[in-house]
Amino acid sequence: MKKILVLISGRGSNLAALLEAVDKNEIAGRIVHVISNRADAGGLNFARERGIPTTIIPSKDFNDREAFDMALGDAIAKEQPDLIVLAGFMRILGEKINARFAGKIINIHPALLPSYPGLHTHRRALDDGVKWHGCTVHFVTLKVDIGPIIGQAVVPVLPDDDEGALAARVLESEHRLLVDCVRWFCEDRLTVRDNKVILHDEVGSACAQQHPQG
Ligand code: GRF
């Protein structure tokens, strides 16, 4: 069983999806700790309800990023997790903390990377008139929203979509994709070669990612 630690900043619906999957034994791991950089992150309650330890490290109390990263890194290190999931964690991690947990940090981003890194992805996709949008789970590297891509899920952009409607459709796909990617990680089915992630099937052959199903 892999030890999973989740970092959040807000609502925590992706955390909730992971917790439900763990509850149903869909993931060969358990969530050992949830850390938030905001005391008011609603998602903390999903962990508290299950008696999972939570820690708040308020980023606003730190003058510089390195000091925050150091405190965060120390809190993470105490659990010695196998996997750290950034699930709506709205802080950029610096060089040292990345190096400390290299290859163990994954992030969910609400766009089909490398399109639309950064913020306001749904608004930008609507402005551009793209017909397909979606989400990406990737290993975290030093460059923001760039890193070996583990999985992607695609959703249509519909003619009457506004930002809220599109965000809701993408979010549903995020929940399924994140569970799939965490499951693969916990089953040791991911390897990274030349900056690309290879997904292996049960007998170890490279295989294509199936589109996550609801
Ligand atoms: C998600 O859209 C995630 O991709 C982005 O922030 C949002 C977090 O949502 N990074 P939630 O807190 O998991 O509900």
Side-chain angles (χ1 to χ4, degrees), residues 10-137:
R11 172 181 58 187
S13 68
N14 279 289
L15 166 65
L18 285 178
L19 287 165
E20 280 163 29
V22 167
D23 288 348
K24 290 192 250 167
N25 293 320
E26 289 172 5
I27 291 174
R30 62 197 169 89
I31 296 177
V32 292
H33 208 119
V34 174
I35 299 178
S36 172
N37 66 316
R38 296 180 56 119
D40 60 358
L44 288 166
N45 291 325
F46 296 122
R48 290 182 183 130
E49 282 164 8
R50 289 168 170 84
I52 294 170
T54 59
T55 298
I56 296 156
I57 304 176
S59 40
K60 62 176 175 46
D61 292 357
F62 291 81
N63 293 330
D64 63 284
R65 193 168 80 182
E66 255 193 45
F68 172 75
D69 278 4
M70 183 67 82
L72 178 63
D74 289 346
I76 294 172
K78 275 190 202 145
E79 289 288 0
Q80 299 200 305
D82 300 294
L83 173 65
I84 299 150
V85 181
L86 311 189
F89 185 64
M90 304 307 282
R91 294 281 305 187
I92 294 167
L93 300 178
E95 196 171 340
K96 285 191 184 140
I97 190 164
N98 264 297
R100 203 164 165 186
F101 304 105
K104 290 186 176 179
I105 314 177
I106 69 173
N107 178 49
I108 177 124
H109 181 73
L112 294 169
L113 294 171
S115 294
Y116 309 118
L119 298 173
H120 310 301
T121 55
H122 309 309
R123 189 191 311 161
R124 287 153 63 203
L126 286 171
D127 286 348
D128 286 345
V130 298
K131 302 300 179 202
W132 298 93
H133 188 40
C135 58
T136 303
V137 173

